[in-house]
Amino acid sequence: MKFTQNKNCVLFPNFLIIGSAKAGTTSLYYYLNQHPEIYMSPVKEPGFFALEGQPSTAKTRSYQIANLVEYQGLFRGVKEEKAIGEASVKYLFDPHAPHRIKHYIPQAKLIAVLRHPVDKIYSKFLHNIRDRVEPIQDFALAWEAGKQRLQDPNSLRRLQYPRIGFYYAKLQQYFDLFPTRQIRVYLYDDLQENSLEMIQDIFSFLEVDSSFVPD
């Protein structure tokens, strides 16, 4: 498996970690980055396929990328690696990302790690408290407020808790666009309890040496 190029010989990744948030994708990113046959974007969470063409005000983090040329620049360091990837958890829940990925890199392999919805939502709540964007300190009350926030177009999406953690419809967007053989879905529990087995299965999926053991 070689790196993916479009007809103009522009470099793109050939695999993506598409989600989900609070499900160990940062650990997965670092495990994969250790493999000598894998190149990972030096920026985690560039979010290009969710943000393409949007103004800078749409970016919630300074390192996010909405410009194609800037995105391509993430992969200038590719040498002889077989698997070229990046990780952006925005892709699982963004409605535009699946179609943009299909447009630019239709042969890409896609990896999703899912966490139990209740655990994920509570973790997100704590993250919001830490970032001082959640004014409600009680989780049950914040959940109820999240229901109202779903109706408010000005509400931060990260505070709309009922929207978080419902995977079926979001994954179905990808299964509708990509062959099943290009998609792998894992559970966060597997990463926690059988991390080496899961990581080596991903190595096999990416067609790199599956005997490699990351730190």
Side-chain angles (χ1 to χ4, degrees):
M1 180 173 64
K2 299 298 184 181
F3 59 74
T4 300
Q5 294 179 303
N6 69 8
K7 62 184 179 181
N8 296 317
C9 296
V10 177
L11 191 63
F12 285 98
N14 57 22
F15 80 90
L16 300 170
I17 300 171
I18 61 172
S20 66
K22 303 300 175 185
T25 57
T26 298
S27 295
L28 179 57
Y29 169 91
Y30 285 112
Y31 287 142
L32 297 183
N33 201 35
Q34 293 178 44
H35 197 295
E37 295 179 286
I38 296 177
Y39 178 93
M40 294 299 294
S41 158
V43 175
K44 183 179 182 288
E45 310 290 346
F48 169 72
F49 295 109
L51 297 167
E52 183 192 16
Q54 295 189 31
S56 59
T57 53
K59 299 193 296 183
T60 57
R61 296 288 188 274
S62 61
Y63 49 77
Q64 291 178 335
I65 294 173
N67 177 274
L68 176 59
V69 174
E70 189 177 353
Y71 182 68
Q72 293 163 354
L74 296 177
F75 307 101
R76 289 182 186 142
V78 173
K79 296 177 181 177
E80 298 298 323
E81 294 89 350
K82 294 180 180 179
I84 317 302
E86 65 111 326
S88 295
V89 299
K90 292 175 71 71
Y91 296 158
L92 183 58
F93 283 89
D94 185 87
H96 305 293
H99 296 278
R100 289 174 179 152
I101 294 168
K102 180 70 173 181
H103 171 73
Y104 282 111
I105 43 175
Q107 303 302 317
K109 294 185 175 183
L110 308 172
I111 299 168
V113 185
L114 309 182
R115 188 172 184 174
H116 189 287
V118 174
D119 293 341
K120 179 182 176 181
I121 292 167
Y122 186 67
S123 178
K124 188 66 172 180
F125 166 73
L126 294 178
H127 193 167
N128 288 339
I129 292 290
R130 186 196 70 189
D131 287 354
R132 299 182 180 181
V133 297
E134 174 56 81
I136 302 173
Q137 302 293 307
D138 181 272
F139 177 61
L141 295 177
W143 170 264
E144 291 301 318
K147 295 179 182 178
Q148 301 301 317
R149 292 164 179 161
L150 287 171
Q151 311 305 318
D152 180 1
N154 296 316
S155 170
L156 289 174
R157 288 173 62 85
R158 64 188 290 183
L159 297 178
Q160 298 171 357
Y161 300 112
R163 183 186 60 81
I164 301 169
F166 297 98
Y167 302 118
Y168 175 79
K170 303 305 179 182
L171 282 172
Q172 191 60 49
Q173 295 180 94
Y174 285 94
F175 282 106
D176 287 344
L177 292 171
F178 296 88
T180 303
R181 66 179 181 275
Q182 289 178 225
I183 303 174
R184 279 284 198 283
V185 179
Y186 298 92
L187 298 178
Y188 175 70
D189 289 349
D190 293 332
L191 185 60
Q192 293 291 97
E193 299 168 10
N194 304 294
S195 59
L196 181 58
E197 181 179 344
M198 174 178 157
I199 296 302
Q200 291 185 324
D201 186 74
I202 293 174
F203 290 160
S204 294
F205 177 55
L206 298 178
E207 301 177 54
V208 298
D209 180 9
S210 61
S211 66
F212 179 79
V213 179
D215 295 334

